[in-house]
Amino acid sequence: MKRKIMDYRAFCENAPSDFPIFFQHWYLDAVCDTGQWHAAIVHKKEEIAGVLPYFLKKRFFGQYVSMPLLGRFMGPYLLPACRNTRTEVQLLKGLLAQIPDGLLAYTQDFHYTAANWLPFYWQGYRQTTRYSYRLDLSSLDAVWKGMTAEEWQQAVPGFNWRSLNLTPEVIQSATGAGISTVGLATNKD
């Protein structure tokens, strides 16, 4: 197991640009304080092609996989070159084979790069679909013009966004800063 963690740490150091920060070994070290994180690793032609970090906790008479308190994503990550149906299925099966048997539960929020969960389904796992939106903040005017009050209302039910009359100009004049001061994140993970 220690060898896998060492290999995972080395993979993180040279991971592609779309590798989530939530999968970084130093992030997992920080947020998995009430249990232990582990990683499944699959290879293709002697190189790591995919990883699956997971947070293993113990409870009463068994173990279970869950999300760490401050973790946003976990689950499988495949290199961009391996994200095609033919390759994905085999790699995901290989990752799943390394998950401990006899778990009481398995709960993970997959990163948006994980588009194929069929091997999990074939193993008896269930899934719930939730959506996340990524906003391109290179043009803040386009973001504001592209969102209606109803869309803001759906984001935070019960809040009357129209009453705020928030425009980029209002935010700029009130705070001296851009739109990011109201909580929108950048396009980088």
Side-chain angles (χ1 to χ4, degrees), residues 32 35 46 55 60 63 65 67 76-77 80-81 91 101-102 119 145 161 169 183:
C32 295
E46 306 296 324
F55 181 45
F60 302 116
Q63 301 180 81
V65 171
M67 293 295 296
Y77 173 84
L91 294 177
D101 291 329
K145 289 176 184 172
W161 290 94
E169 294 79 22

Side-chain angles (χ1 to χ4, degrees), residues 33-49:
D33 61 341
T34 59
Q36 282 190 311
W37 69 269
H38 299 277
I41 298 173
V42 290
H43 294 81
K44 183 177 179 187
K45 298 180 181 176
E46 306 296 324
E47 297 292 323
I48 293 178

Side-chain angles (χ1 to χ4, degrees), residues 8-185:
Y8 184 84
R9 289 179 188 279
F11 174 79
C12 289
E13 297 301 324
N14 299 305
S17 62
D18 72 340
F19 190 66
I21 192 171
F22 305 102
F23 286 41
Q24 290 288 346
H25 63 88
W26 50 264
Y27 189 86
L28 296 172
D29 289 339
V31 299
C32 295
D33 61 341
T34 59
Q36 282 190 311
W37 69 269
H38 299 277
I41 298 173
V42 290
H43 294 81
K44 183 177 179 187
K45 298 180 181 176
E46 306 296 324
E47 297 292 323
I48 293 178
V51 296
L52 191 156
Y54 57 94
F55 181 45
L56 191 62
K57 295 182 81 172
K58 294 181 181 183
R59 183 170 195 145
F60 302 116
F61 302 107
Q63 301 180 81
Y64 63 101
V65 171
S66 71
M67 293 295 296
L69 184 61
L70 297 174
R72 175 64 187 100
F73 297 112
M74 287 191 101
Y77 173 84
L78 302 178
L79 291 177
C82 299
R83 294 182 198 150
N84 60 66
T85 307
R86 182 175 296 184
T87 308
E88 275 181 341
V89 170
Q90 292 305 95
L91 294 177
L92 291 172
K93 283 181 178 180
L95 291 171
L96 270 171
Q98 298 174 52
I99 301 296
D101 291 329
L103 292 173
L104 299 173
Y106 182 96
T107 303
Q108 288 193 315
D109 294 336
F110 286 12
H111 190 257
Y112 62 86
T113 58
N116 185 351
W117 79 282
L118 276 175
F120 288 84
Y121 175 75
W122 295 331
Q123 292 290 318
Y125 291 85
R126 294 178 307 196
Q127 69 93 16
T128 301
T129 301
R130 295 184 185 99
Y131 293 96
S132 293
Y133 296 94
R134 295 182 66 193
L135 301 175
D136 179 6
L137 298 181
S138 60
S139 171
L140 297 180
D141 288 333
V143 171
W144 281 106
K145 289 176 184 172
M147 296 188 78
T148 65
E150 288 77 21
E151 289 169 328
W152 283 107
Q153 188 69 29
Q154 288 175 356
V156 183
F159 190 80
N160 184 359
W161 290 94
R162 290 180 201 190
S163 66
L164 293 178
N165 192 23
L166 290 177
T167 64
E169 294 79 22
V170 169
I171 294 171
Q172 182 70 33
S173 65
T175 64
I179 196 170
S180 61
T181 58
V182 295
L184 294 178

